[in-house]
Amino acid sequence: MPPVLLTIQTATPAGSVAVTDGSALLAEINLQCRRTPTDWLMPMIDMLLTTTERDKKQLDGIAVVRGPGSFTGLRVGLATAKGLSLALDCPLLGISSLQSLAMQLPFAERPVCVMLDARKQEVYSAVYRWHGGGPRPVTEERVARPEKILAEIDEETLFVGSGASVYRSLIVRQMADRAHFAPAFIDLPRAAAAASLAQQDWAAGVRCTADQLMPVYLRPSEAELNFPTAGLQG
């Protein structure tokens, strides 16, 4: 039986939650706001389940975007997903924020370079090619200055994500007509795309527990940078 999944995306300011039944999207809410997910995530989940006439106990699994992305957003999203998983005794699926954005560009003929704005003049990035029903990684996920990433791209490439929007002028300056850009609305990560990847993982038998699922940050937090010995000093 295809699983009924709740999928949570809080890795970026563009938050999103979806309920899917197999490949069918039953409902999805997307928003972009300055409020933290602690304000809207659980009410949004309750609204989706009520609208789709699903009880939490009917969920087969919880999928959650594990990063990279906003440290606060990831912590809230993963904590919520883990809490629901433990309460409902159902498995978890961790999905890459970068791969889920590439999933929103199905059957792209060119390589897809996903860039999420990481601030500090850096981006979270990876390159994908569409193959076998989904985007397959060509490079590892990393955080770097956009100039460094662009210097390693030598072919026509499709750019997507908030980082591609922020650094569009730089991308065009360095790559000229080899650079192509997804429409602006595609830059907003959707839970439905992450849910589609989660369905593929489910079919492949990929699951994890709350203890096993960890966020992907790619770089240390501000607290770790500013107070590297805080833990030792209590």
Side-chain angles (χ1 to χ4, degrees), residues 2-228:
V4 176
L5 298 180
L6 169 69
T7 301
I8 298 168
Q9 191 293 111
T10 57
T12 73
S16 183
V17 180
V19 176
T20 52
D21 186 346
S23 60
L25 175 62
L26 301 183
E28 181 185 36
I29 298 178
N30 302 292
L31 78 163
Q32 186 162 11
C33 64
R34 294 183 179 180
R35 295 167 60 193
T36 65
T38 52
D39 294 331
W40 52 260
L41 183 53
M42 283 307 301
M44 186 183 293
I45 291 172
D46 290 338
M47 181 187 300
L48 279 181
L49 292 174
T50 299
T51 301
T52 58
E53 298 182 333
R54 292 295 195 279
D55 186 89
K56 288 187 179 74
K57 295 179 181 179
Q58 293 177 285
L59 296 173
D60 295 306
I62 312 291
V64 59
V65 172
R66 55 176 171 72
S70 160
F71 284 47
T72 299
L74 289 175
R75 282 194 286 265
V76 173
L78 265 72
T80 302
K82 289 183 178 187
L84 288 171
S85 170
L86 291 170
L88 301 173
D89 191 27
C90 66
L92 289 161
L93 301 98
I95 305 300
S96 162
S97 57
L98 302 180
Q99 190 176 21
S100 63
L101 255 176
M103 189 70 176
Q104 296 176 194
L105 293 163
F107 310 111
E109 295 182 356
R110 302 181 179 93
V112 176
C113 180
V114 180
M115 288 184 172
L116 287 179
D117 185 16
R119 303 194 178 182
K120 299 183 179 181
Q121 298 183 317
E122 292 183 326
V123 293
Y124 302 116
S125 183
V127 177
Y128 299 86
R129 283 188 182 273
W130 193 272
H131 177 73
R136 307 307 172 198
V138 175
T139 66
E140 293 184 351
E141 297 180 346
R142 58 176 172 163
V143 59
R145 294 179 67 89
E147 298 93 330
K148 178 176 175 59
I149 292 168
L150 294 171
E152 299 172 6
I153 299 176
D154 59 3
E155 60 183 313
E156 289 193 43
T157 299
L158 180 57
F159 290 87
V160 65
S162 58
S165 176
V166 170
Y167 295 103
R168 182 168 183 143
S169 296
L170 171 66
I171 295 169
V172 171
R173 191 161 61 247
Q174 285 198 214
M175 295 196 60
D177 58 2
R178 290 179 297 145
H180 305 271
F181 296 87
F185 70 90
I186 300 292
D187 289 337
L188 304 180
R190 292 183 54 187
S196 184
L197 288 169
Q199 294 285 348
Q200 293 182 9
D201 284 351
W202 185 281
V206 178
R207 318 273 201 284
C208 64
T209 65
D211 289 338
Q212 293 169 332
L213 181 60
M214 294 296 158
V216 175
Y217 292 135
L218 295 186
R219 71 181 180 195
S221 67
E222 288 293 333
E224 291 172 304
L225 291 172
N226 295 328
F227 305 101

